Amino acid sequence: MTALPPAAAPDRPVRVAVAGLGWAGREIWLPRLAAHPRFEVTAVVDPEPGVRDRARGAHHVASAYADVDDLPGGAVDLVVVAVPNHLHADVAVRLLRRSVPVFLEKPVCLTSAEATLLADAERDGGAVLLAGSAARYRADVRALAAVAGELGPIRHVDVAWVRARGVPDAGGWFTRRDLSGGGALVDLGWHLLDTVLPMLGPTGVTHAIGSVSDDFVNDSAAHAAWRSDAGAGGRDRGDVEDTARGFLLTADGASVALHACWASHESLDRTTVTVHGAAGSATLRCTFGFSPNREPTPVLTRTRDGETVRLPLPEEPVGAEYDRQLDALPGLLADPAGRGAAVAEARRTIDIIERIYQSARPTRPERQHALAGHRDR
């Protein structure tokens, strides 16, 4: 094991590099990190020279590199990894094996095998892996979780994120299964599972089945124009699902109905979570993400004994959950007890996603990648 880099001192910002300057890295993480007083962006990493140069100029970043392997040892306290999905585990494993802490955008991994590689790299390198889980940091989701804790044993959860039009990066890597790992289920479904599973506790998911469809993924009218994806509009047809439906059963007898949809015939992009407990139910209606075609305001209600009441929610701007997650990152980075937690949660999530895909596509080909050799690095 190589020597660990020194932890960021409490009186100085966390030195951070952003690896991957696509939409998420460029629009979500880089500007927020640059503006946050607890962080100092000291490097950006991207294979495209023009992209690197624009990011350096816009945010006054000192250094830029084509690959994370080019980062000098000890130069950063954390790397935020926002590369395309198929590179998530590859890049994170390389950094963790160098004892560099990593904050990894969702999906943390695309297969259970990748989860094992991440766990091995985190253990061998000694640095912590942290995971993007922005939905949990929404004020309305936290309020729903608090109400759910008052409903007695949870019997069932209905969770859905349905966009009217929102196929991302149409014609690019997002809609290629070999590069993305899947469509709406991997993308939106990861957020939905990340919201619901903590409410269910540590109980195992004994059954997971589902279906997928692709009625909109190659329809230009269904594209997410608000994302302004660089490189969008390629000629290749997408081969992922735009809609996924799943049904889960837990060892405790609870059930979950999940609906993740990039495009539909609805008029608004809407996220809905209803928790049914033995002592009542609670429903949150809002819109996750950044789409401007959204519910005007989140609404949280509780129903008991035939009476439904609306519960107060704080107002917050779109994207506040990402700022709130950054607020928490320095503490998580310094806490050795958190090592292994992100991988364990990711393993649970990807296991469910794999089982839904297996039931929906019984002959789905195995994803090919070049990670097998990383055990020997």
Side-chain angles (χ1 to χ4, degrees):
M1 182 188 302
T2 57
L4 289 176
D11 58 344
R12 72 166 174 84
V14 175
R15 300 168 303 163
V16 61
V18 177
L21 297 173
W23 186 84
R26 187 180 68 248
E27 300 294 333
I28 297 178
W29 297 115
L30 184 55
R32 283 177 166 79
L33 286 161
H36 200 290
R38 295 293 308 277
F39 296 91
E40 178 188 2
V41 182
T42 58
V44 291
V45 182
D46 195 275
E48 295 294 331
V51 172
R52 296 197 302 268
D53 291 343
R54 286 191 292 273
R56 288 186 68 185
H59 299 286
H60 310 289
V61 180
S63 302
Y65 304 96
D67 191 273
V68 293
D69 289 345
D70 301 327
L71 281 168
V76 296
D77 305 307
L78 178 71
V79 178
V80 173
V81 174
V83 296
N85 289 3
H86 70 291
L87 297 175
H88 280 194
D90 171 75
V91 172
V93 163
R94 284 190 275 147
L95 289 165
L96 290 168
R97 289 203 178 281
R98 292 176 57 196
S99 303
V100 179
V102 171
F103 174 83
L104 185 54
E105 251 285 19
K106 65 85 197 166
V108 172
C109 53
L110 297 182
T111 65
S112 296
E114 288 185 349
T116 297
L117 289 171
L118 288 167
D120 291 346
E122 184 182 32
R123 182 192 63 246
D124 295 344
V128 68
L129 172 68
L130 304 172
S133 54
R136 297 188 199 180
Y137 288 85
R138 290 179 60 98
D140 49 13
V141 168
R142 290 184 166 186
L144 172 65
V147 175
E150 303 170 356
L151 299 177
I154 293 176
R155 305 305 189 195
H156 179 73
V157 181
D158 284 298
V159 59
W161 185 352
V162 176
R163 289 178 178 167
R165 289 164 298 281
V167 178
D169 193 19
W173 68 262
F174 237 115
T175 55
R176 285 182 51 183
R177 197 187 312 174
D178 61 329
L179 301 181
S180 64
L185 180 59
V186 169
D187 181 28
L188 309 185
W190 192 285
H191 286 291
L192 297 179
L193 290 168
D194 197 50
T195 300
V196 170
L197 291 178
M199 298 183 193
L200 298 177
T203 181
V205 174
T206 57
H207 295 81
I209 61 171
S211 64
V212 296
S213 57
D214 57 1
D215 299 316
F216 300 95
V217 71
N218 292 304
D219 181 353
S220 60
H223 296 172
W226 51 270
R227 279 182 55 107
S228 301
D229 286 297
R235 296 180 181 179
D236 294 337
R237 290 177 61 83
D239 63 350
V240 298
E241 81 284 353
D242 53 60
T243 301
R245 296 174 177 86
F247 193 80
L248 318 180
L249 291 176
T250 76
D252 292 342
S255 57
V256 177
L258 179 147
H259 184 192
C261 191
W262 273 343
S264 68
H265 295 286
E266 299 297 320
S267 60
L268 290 177
D269 295 2
R270 179 179 295 119
T271 309
T272 308
V273 187
T274 299
V275 181
H276 301 271
S281 65
T283 297
L284 173 64
R285 291 171 62 94
C286 60
T287 304
F288 284 4
F290 293 90
S291 169
N293 184 36
R294 59 195 305 115
E295 287 282 341
T297 185
V299 175
L300 176 63
T301 59
R302 182 183 60 215
T303 301
R304 284 179 177 165
D305 299 325
E307 180 183 6
T308 299
V309 297
R310 181 169 175 174
L311 303 177
L313 286 174
E315 292 187 10
E316 63 178 5
V318 174
E321 62 269 31
Y322 293 91
D323 298 308
R324 196 170 289 119
Q325 188 169 22
L326 287 185
D327 292 340
L329 266 187
L332 295 172
L333 182 63
D335 182 8
R339 208 169 290 163
V343 173
E345 291 185 351
R347 190 187 300 277
R348 187 184 187 196
T349 300
I350 197 60
D351 174 68
I352 292 168
I353 289 173
E354 285 181 314
R355 284 191 278 167
I356 291 174
Y357 276 140
Q358 185 176 15
S359 68
R361 302 191 185 104
T363 59
R364 179 172 178 261
E366 289 296 321
R367 177 173 170 265
Q368 300 296 317
H369 53 74
L371 288 176
H374 283 217
R375 290 179 179 273
D376 301 324
R377 290 191 179 184

